[in-house]
Amino acid sequence: MTKPDDTPEPMLGRISVPKSYEVLADRLRQTILDGSLAEGERLPTERELVSQTGLSRGSVREALRKLEVEGLVKTKLGRLGGNIVSRPGNDSMAHVITQFVRGRRLSLRTLQETREALEPSLARLAAEHRSKDDIVRLRELNAEMGQALDDRNRFAAINIAWHNAVATASRNDLLAAFLYAISYDVVASTVSEEYDTPGLRKEVVGVHERIIVAIEAGDGDAAFRRMERHVKATRAKTRAREDSDLPPD
Amino acid sequence: MTKPDDTPEPMLGRISVPKSYEVLADRLRQTILDGSLAEGERLPTERELVSQTGLSRGSVREALRKLEVEGLVKTKLGRLGGNIVSRPGNDSMAHVITQFVRGRRLSLRTLQETREALEPSLARLAAEHRSKDDIVRLRELNAEMGQALDDRNRFAAINIAWHNAVATASRNDLLAAFLYAISYDVVASTVSEEYDTPGLRKEVVGVHERIIVAIEAGDGDAAFRRMERHVKATRAKTRAREDSDLPPD
DNA sequence: CGACGGCATTTGCTCTTACCATTAGATCTT
DNA sequence: AAGATCTAATGGTAAGAGCAAATGCCGTCG
């Protein structure tokens, strides 16, 4: 199987021709991340970028489109509009993660496992880093849930907010963003299940309160354990649907 | 400060004028995720999309650019090239997560915490879902590490691969993608530290072996605990640099 | 004097047209 | 046959024009 050795040694690596919009996107990205452009500042107008780079308007716009998806710029229309530098937010990351989940048709089981991996740790970190305001916020939301026992959808919505509030209290933006990204999908597949009765909802409020107590006391281990049990309980009740794919849309 | 109540009741919500490339991107995305287009298939050529949608070539291309960042299509040049449907891979998600981390200047502490949240759970799942091949792969990599005790950078590189192999064994693509996304950053900030001596490296190989044993035995709890200790140990040794920001680039 | 209405300007958004560059199949040549 | 060459399909890039939205300015009118 020795093939005719026309070119024994490659000598030259594969030549890759970079596309102009990629190059521009990379350079703009670097400029932004360098800190040369503060958040909220406008980068040059499209026409300026054209004259600065020698590229066409189209290429410039394609580069901006990429940065937009990455969450590094937001485009505003009209006079005093422009392409404004912004910090990547939870939403931009959530968007991409959502495409990942849907595109690969990840099972509900996978999402549930992910949640079980994230939430206990978030609770522990919340216990270590929480502020007074965080506790107030958590109690507020939990009280709201207590008043929405009869409204399944409203209850579910506040429930998401509560779990994300725990994530916020953790002071870990990355983990919080992960949870934020999947929380919608998880709940969308979980809500309006037969197990979801007012009685069980009341139970949830009680469990939340005990978790809040642990967080307030700064007891990371307890917060971890209680949250772990809490999310696992959710899974147990969803087991019937396990391994099923996500509903379309 | 009561402003003149010209329009007491809004009556109409804010009107948002969708941009054409957004609309097209949304529709293409939906088509792809519906499964109407299988992975590897080509969607219509740009010129076809132009005639189908009535939009301009530029708008079509901007829409494609967005989908490209999301990892849903890959663009190939030349005859029989085109825009090819593809499943979002770890890389596309890692890219966005990296922008998130850099753009928000997340601290090393945050990354470390995230790792500590992910890895033990990944080890547990690996113990529950691993195949024989996974074990073989883990042992292979660990053996390679044992032979690279003197080469700090090579050791670090294989180390990343080992941890990602555990993630692969977990059969949870989402958690694995999370770890993959941060592993480079974490190690980049960790490697070439004074604590990083051949002796300690040898210790790591031993710890890895014990984790492999737990995974092989299907002992999720043990795998979890051992991995937890393992990653925490790494943090302890990095503590001096804690709270410092990431090095530029 | 103050508020309202229209005008001008800046900026992104969209379309049109044209041509170049890359790739792979088809065809010709030896 | 094997190789070189031609050809067609497709994305990449450029240039130019005009439209649409947002904002500030200014003049008019009450």
Side-chain angles (χ1 to χ4, degrees):
Chain A
M1 222 355 152
T2 59
K3 66 178 178 180
D5 230 53
D6 298 284
T7 53
E9 304 135 29
M11 192 186 75
L12 269 101
R14 176 121 190 105
I15 291 184
S16 73
V17 181
K19 296 163 205 169
S20 65
Y21 61 85
E22 296 280 3
V23 175
L24 178 55
D26 288 345
R27 290 196 25 183
L28 287 175
R29 192 184 299 119
Q30 199 180 347
T31 304
I32 292 172
L33 296 179
D34 274 359
S36 314
L37 288 170
E39 177 178 1
E41 278 192 271
R42 299 180 355 172
L43 36 84
T45 66
E46 294 179 358
R47 290 167 176 90
E48 271 182 73
L49 286 173
V50 167
S51 63
Q52 283 180 23
T53 61
L55 301 180
S56 73
R57 191 93 187 273
S59 298
V60 167
R61 283 180 61 83
E62 287 182 44
L64 292 170
R65 221 43 64 221
K66 295 196 60 169
L67 297 182
E68 196 178 42
V69 176
E70 291 171 6
L72 291 172
V73 305
K74 290 201 190 310
T75 300
K76 259 184 61 179
L77 199 59
R79 189 181 182 175
L80 298 211
N83 291 278
I84 293 160
V85 177
S86 68
R87 294 200 318 182
N90 287 0
D91 295 306
S92 60
M93 227 183 67
H95 177 73
V96 174
I97 292 178
T98 299
Q99 301 319 319
F100 186 89
V101 170
R102 295 221 201 294
R104 301 181 69 122
R105 309 211 189 295
L106 297 187
S107 63
L108 177 56
R109 175 183 69 76
T110 299
L111 291 177
Q112 202 71 42
E113 282 175 359
T114 303
R115 196 182 164 205
E116 288 173 27
L118 298 178
E119 296 230 40
S121 294
L122 280 165
R124 163 172 284 141
L125 292 169
E128 293 170 3
H129 301 138
R130 84 272 177 256
S131 74
K132 286 225 157 121
D133 288 347
D134 293 325
I135 303 296
V136 171
R137 174 86 180 132
L138 287 172
R139 286 236 156 78
E140 272 176 13
L141 287 168
N142 207 34
E144 276 190 63
M145 288 176 72
Q147 284 160 1
L149 295 178
D150 307 317
D151 187 339
R152 170 185 290 172
N153 292 319
R154 189 167 137 71
F155 185 89
I158 309 174
N159 187 34
I160 299 181
W162 186 86
H163 282 272
N164 278 304
V166 173
T168 299
S170 79
R171 297 288 180 276
N172 186 312
D173 290 351
L174 186 56
L175 279 172
F178 286 164
L179 180 68
Y180 176 84
I182 65 166
S183 59
Y184 174 77
D185 275 331
V186 170
V187 176
S189 317
T190 298
V191 78
S192 71
E193 283 297 300
E194 68 288 347
Y195 82 88
D196 200 21
T197 69
L200 286 170
R201 283 200 277 273
K202 184 157 192 183
E203 225 176 89
V204 167
V205 173
V207 173
H208 281 188
E209 174 58 25
R210 285 196 288 282
I211 294 173
I212 294 174
V213 167
I215 292 175
E216 188 174 24
D219 187 343
D221 288 340
F224 183 97
R225 279 196 315 272
R226 290 173 191 179
M227 184 64 92
E228 188 179 30
R229 287 195 54 184
H230 178 44
V231 294
K232 274 194 178 159
T234 300
R235 168 154 70 138
K237 284 160 187 157
T238 325
R239 185 153 297 162
R241 297 185 59 194
E242 228 169 74
D243 287 313
S244 77
D245 281 2
L246 252 31
D249 192 7
Chain B
M1 215 9 154
T2 58
K3 66 178 181 182
D5 228 54
D6 299 281
T7 53
E9 306 137 28
M11 190 186 77
L12 262 78
R14 178 123 189 103
I15 291 184
S16 73
V17 181
K19 297 165 204 166
S20 65
Y21 61 85
E22 296 280 4
V23 175
L24 177 55
D26 288 345
R27 290 197 22 185
L28 286 176
R29 193 184 297 120
Q30 198 180 347
T31 304
I32 293 171
L33 296 178
D34 274 359
S36 314
L37 288 170
E39 177 178 0
E41 278 191 272
R42 300 181 358 176
L43 35 84
T45 67
E46 294 179 358
R47 290 168 176 89
E48 270 182 74
L49 285 172
V50 167
S51 63
Q52 282 180 24
T53 61
L55 301 180
S56 74
R57 184 105 182 268
S59 298
V60 168
R61 283 179 60 83
E62 287 183 45
L64 292 170
R65 222 43 64 222
K66 295 196 60 169
L67 297 182
E68 196 178 43
V69 176
E70 291 171 7
L72 291 172
V73 305
K74 290 199 189 311
T75 299
K76 257 184 63 178
L77 199 58
R79 189 179 183 177
L80 297 213
N83 291 279
I84 293 162
V85 177
S86 67
R87 293 200 318 181
N90 287 0
D91 295 305
S92 59
M93 228 183 66
H95 177 72
V96 174
I97 291 179
T98 299
Q99 302 317 319
F100 186 89
V101 170
R102 294 220 200 294
R104 301 181 71 123
R105 309 213 190 296
L106 297 187
S107 64
L108 177 55
R109 176 182 69 77
T110 299
L111 291 177
Q112 202 71 44
E113 282 174 358
T114 303
R115 195 183 165 205
E116 288 173 26
L118 298 178
E119 295 230 38
S121 293
L122 281 165
R124 164 172 282 140
L125 292 169
E128 294 170 2
H129 301 137
R130 84 276 177 253
S131 72
K132 287 223 156 126
D133 289 346
D134 293 325
I135 303 296
V136 171
R137 174 87 180 131
L138 287 171
R139 286 237 156 79
E140 272 176 13
L141 286 168
N142 207 33
E144 275 190 63
M145 288 176 72
Q147 284 161 2
L149 294 178
D150 307 317
D151 186 339
R152 170 186 289 170
N153 292 318
R154 187 167 138 70
F155 185 88
I158 309 174
N159 187 34
I160 299 180
W162 187 85
H163 282 272
N164 278 304
V166 174
T168 300
S170 79
R171 297 287 180 277
N172 185 314
D173 291 350
L174 186 56
L175 278 172
F178 287 165
L179 180 68
Y180 176 83
I182 66 167
S183 59
Y184 174 77
D185 276 330
V186 170
V187 175
S189 316
T190 298
V191 78
S192 71
E193 283 298 299
E194 68 288 346
Y195 82 88
D196 201 20
T197 69
L200 287 170
R201 285 198 275 272
K202 184 159 192 181
E203 226 176 85
V204 167
V205 174
V207 173
H208 280 188
E209 174 58 26
R210 285 195 288 282
I211 294 173
I212 294 174
V213 168
I215 292 175
E216 188 173 24
D219 187 343
D221 288 339
F224 183 97
R225 278 196 316 272
R226 291 174 191 180
M227 184 64 92
E228 188 180 31
R229 289 195 53 184
H230 178 43
V231 293
K232 274 194 179 161
T234 299
R235 168 154 70 138
K237 283 162 186 159
T238 325
R239 185 153 299 161
R241 299 185 57 193
E242 229 168 72
D243 287 313
S244 78
D245 282 2
L246 251 32
D249 198 356

